[in-house]
Amino acid sequence: MQKFSDLGLAPAIAKALEKAGYDTPTPVQGEAVPAAIAGRDLLVSAQTGSGKTAAFLLPALTRVSERSKGAGNGPRVLVLTPTRELAQQVEKNALVYGEELRWLRTVTLVGGASFGFQTRALSRPVDIIVATPGRLMDHMRSGRIDFSRLEMLILDEADRMLDMGFIEDIETIVAATPSERQTLLFSATLDGIVGKMAERMTRDPQRIEIERKEESGNIEEHLLYADDNNHKQRLLDAILKEANFDQAVVFTATKIGSEEIADKLSDMGYSAACLHGDMPQSWRNRTLNDLRRGRIKILVATDVAARGIDVPGIGLVVNYDLPKQAEDYVHRIGRTGRAGRSGVAITIAESREFHRVRRIEQYLKRQLTEAVIQGLEPTRRPPKGRPAGKGGPRRSNGGGYGDRKPGGGYGGNRGGYGDRNRSSSGPRQGGSGDRRPRSE
Ligand code: AMP
């Protein structure tokens, strides 16, 4: 088995890792760290939860541990991330892994935070800037960023940055950096536009592709069909009552939906809060801190706001609404099962949304296991021909989740889930009467 001492890290960083309790590199770290330390450009497809943050921070810190050859105050490493939360998480990790580098200075440049504070921080020498593209561009326009001694450019969750419309900003930022820089690009996928952009901004890159399935190996997934929104709410109530978890994240498709559900859960006595992009940054930070400290038990969030949440106590993710994009499914469920723990991810879909479920399954290259909660079975079934749960030919994917038998419930709770094919109950009452349109 590979050890951190085999990867060529600076001794100070190896020491900090030991203190942080890391003993074995994850697969992405095992491949990316030595290649990056050797100076290669990298294109890495790895998911959140794979240890990808350390995979780029460890080589970056190893570089920073040696004196800069360049003059000036500008950053030696620039990390671009799609969201504020992820940027803050990256900086936090850099400070943990770089704890022994006493002189290390990091600055996070994200929207929603004070310009004055960031400007002051930029007036002193900085080693690592972690930024979202929009705010970094604001500082660049004001002439506050000197990239002349930049050695390493890192793009984290590049696919997500493109989804969020940052392509032009990214191109402008990259063009402003020295051409002899080293570039590391991390993305859930390296296909399509991301792949093309990645090729343009790297030189003879080494491609590292980490199997998607591996990372969610400790996350137990279930799919529940619902008739309508009212049914979804009852399913959510049952899940929260029955599941064993310290903390949970419930994902909604809309900001208003996240507020409504958080309100309802608070009314029911849960310590619940919402997190979405329209909330002021200070409030978002407070909510995340409360989640980290365990003061919030259930966070109800939209996709963008929840990126980068890394709280080991999250044992349950509920997709109350389906993600708009298949990749988001992976990011959502990656909020649980952190740091090697196990987690449960339950996706609720309306029966008429079966085609969206299928898109997710195609992306995952595996099927989600359909389950039911006893007494809350759906009356409407997805059309025949949907492969999952039909007993039809399964794609062979090397023994992934598609083969897992549901029915065992999660953690020995009462009833739990049963395989829908084994459920004998007939149609339930009250299905269509309370049907109302969903707002997406
Ligand atoms: P990431 O994929 O970067 O979001 O990391 C997922 C989680 O795994 C974070 O909580 C990290 O602190 C943790 N982690 C990363 N690398 C290791 C490692 N080699 N050993 C133990 N935990 C790790």
Side-chain angles (χ1 to χ4, degrees):
M1 205 191 297
Q2 233 176 355
K3 293 201 289 293
F4 276 112
S5 52
D6 303 331
L7 303 187
L9 296 173
I13 294 157
K15 190 167 164 202
L17 285 180
E18 202 180 309
K19 263 198 191 164
Y22 291 18
D23 49 19
T24 320
T26 65
V28 68
Q29 292 161 3
E31 287 198 55
V33 173
I37 288 178
R40 290 291 298 267
D41 279 4
L42 301 182
L43 301 185
V44 185
S45 79
Q47 307 289 321
T48 179
S50 60
K52 67 179 171 63
T53 314
F56 60 74
L57 283 178
L58 300 179
L61 289 163
T62 294
R63 242 179 206 276
V64 168
S65 71
E66 284 167 22
R67 266 186 190 289
S68 167
K69 294 184 191 79
N73 279 353
R76 299 177 61 189
V77 175
L78 170 65
V79 185
L80 290 178
T81 73
T83 65
R84 303 159 186 186
E85 281 76 14
L86 189 56
Q88 283 157 349
Q89 188 66 44
V90 168
E91 185 188 37
K92 212 174 102 209
N93 287 13
L95 293 174
V96 171
Y97 310 144
E99 200 201 329
E100 300 287 321
L101 307 177
R102 304 275 174 225
W103 65 92
L104 178 71
R105 272 200 79 237
T106 61
V107 172
T108 298
L109 303 178
V110 293
S114 126
F115 264 102
F117 180 80
Q118 294 177 356
T119 305
R120 276 194 300 283
L122 288 172
S123 64
R124 295 170 50 206
V126 54
D127 298 295
I128 302 179
I129 288 185
V130 188
T132 49
R135 180 54 71 98
L136 179 65
M137 286 285 292
D138 292 339
H139 285 288
M140 283 168 65
R141 279 191 211 99
S142 324
R144 285 189 213 108
I145 314 271
D146 165 18
F147 280 135
S148 61
R149 61 170 197 162
L150 190 91
E151 295 164 54
M152 194 185 257
L153 169 67
I154 298 163
L155 291 97
D156 189 18
E157 303 200 356
D159 53 330
R160 188 67 188 168
M161 288 197 275
L162 296 194
D163 286 349
M164 291 169 72
F166 284 134
I167 188 149
E168 280 179 24
D169 286 353
I170 292 175
E171 304 256 357
T172 311
I173 293 165
V174 172
T177 61
S179 57
E180 63 279 8
R181 64 167 197 271
Q182 182 181 10
T183 308
L184 313 183
L185 181 140
F186 286 69
S187 178
T189 167
L190 295 173
D191 302 334
I193 313 176
V194 188
K196 291 209 179 73
M197 182 185 80
E199 293 290 342
R200 277 203 303 279
M201 59 182 60
T202 50
R203 262 177 314 185
D204 183 27
Q206 179 170 333
R207 281 177 91 94
I208 297 175
E209 308 211 13
I210 300 295
E211 265 281 319
R212 217 177 271 142
K213 237 177 343 120
E214 264 175 67
E215 292 101 47
S216 45
N218 53 343
I219 302 172
E220 184 184 321
E221 297 164 279
H222 298 277
L223 169 67
L224 296 175
Y225 274 108
D227 292 332
D228 50 36
N229 200 43
N230 185 298
H231 190 184
K232 282 168 63 167
Q233 286 179 20
R234 282 181 289 141
L235 286 171
L236 177 63
D237 290 352
I239 291 165
L240 294 176
K241 281 201 190 92
E242 291 177 7
N244 257 330
F245 63 93
D246 285 339
Q247 288 175 292
V249 181
V250 176
F251 281 98
T252 60
T254 62
K255 294 165 187 166
I256 188 97
S258 70
E259 289 175 1
E260 281 172 5
I261 292 182
D263 282 350
K264 259 191 209 118
L265 295 177
S266 300
D267 289 347
M268 290 164 71
Y270 291 106
S271 56
C274 65
L275 185 75
H276 62 66
D278 278 356
M279 290 161 53
Q281 188 59 31
S282 55
W283 187 1
R284 282 164 69 169
N285 288 344
R286 202 164 52 237
T287 303
L288 283 174
N289 269 336
D290 285 349
L291 183 74
R292 268 183 216 114
R293 299 215 174 100
R295 285 196 215 123
I296 291 174
K297 196 167 159 74
I298 305 174
L299 184 75
V300 189
T302 57
D303 286 294
V304 167
R307 287 241 159 186
I309 294 178
D310 184 9
V311 178
I314 298 172
L316 173 70
V317 165
V318 181
N319 291 320
Y320 184 83
D321 296 316
L322 286 176
K324 288 200 180 74
Q325 307 190 44
E327 304 92 277
D328 287 331
Y329 177 85
V330 177
H331 283 283
R332 286 180 175 194
I333 71 167
R335 299 306 115 214
T336 185
R338 309 293 289 178
R341 299 197 190 189
S342 60
V344 173
I346 300 172
T347 299
I348 305 176
E350 289 190 36
S351 306
R352 64 194 166 92
E353 296 175 310
F354 71 95
H355 54 281
R356 294 178 61 191
V357 172
R358 198 174 298 168
R359 268 210 302 278
I360 294 172
E361 292 177 332
Q362 276 163 357
Y363 176 79
L364 297 173
K365 300 199 177 69
R366 57 186 161 79
Q367 290 164 12
L368 298 176
T369 311
E370 238 175 277
V372 292
I373 293 183
Q374 279 163 26
L376 288 174
E377 297 84 354
T379 56
R380 299 181 182 88
R381 302 270 149 149
K384 287 199 174 15
R386 183 188 176 273
K390 290 293 297 168
R394 286 186 192 282
R395 262 166 285 155
S396 161
N397 58 11
Y401 296 105
D403 300 330
R404 181 174 291 177
K405 280 270 164 282
Y410 37 77
N413 43 60
R414 68 173 165 92
Y417 300 127
D419 186 323
R420 59 180 298 153
N421 296 333
R422 277 191 264 139
S423 150
S424 58
S425 57
R428 281 171 53 80
Q429 319 256 304
S432 54
D434 48 24
R435 194 179 175 84
R436 62 179 151 103
R438 288 173 76 238
S439 61
E440 278 201 350

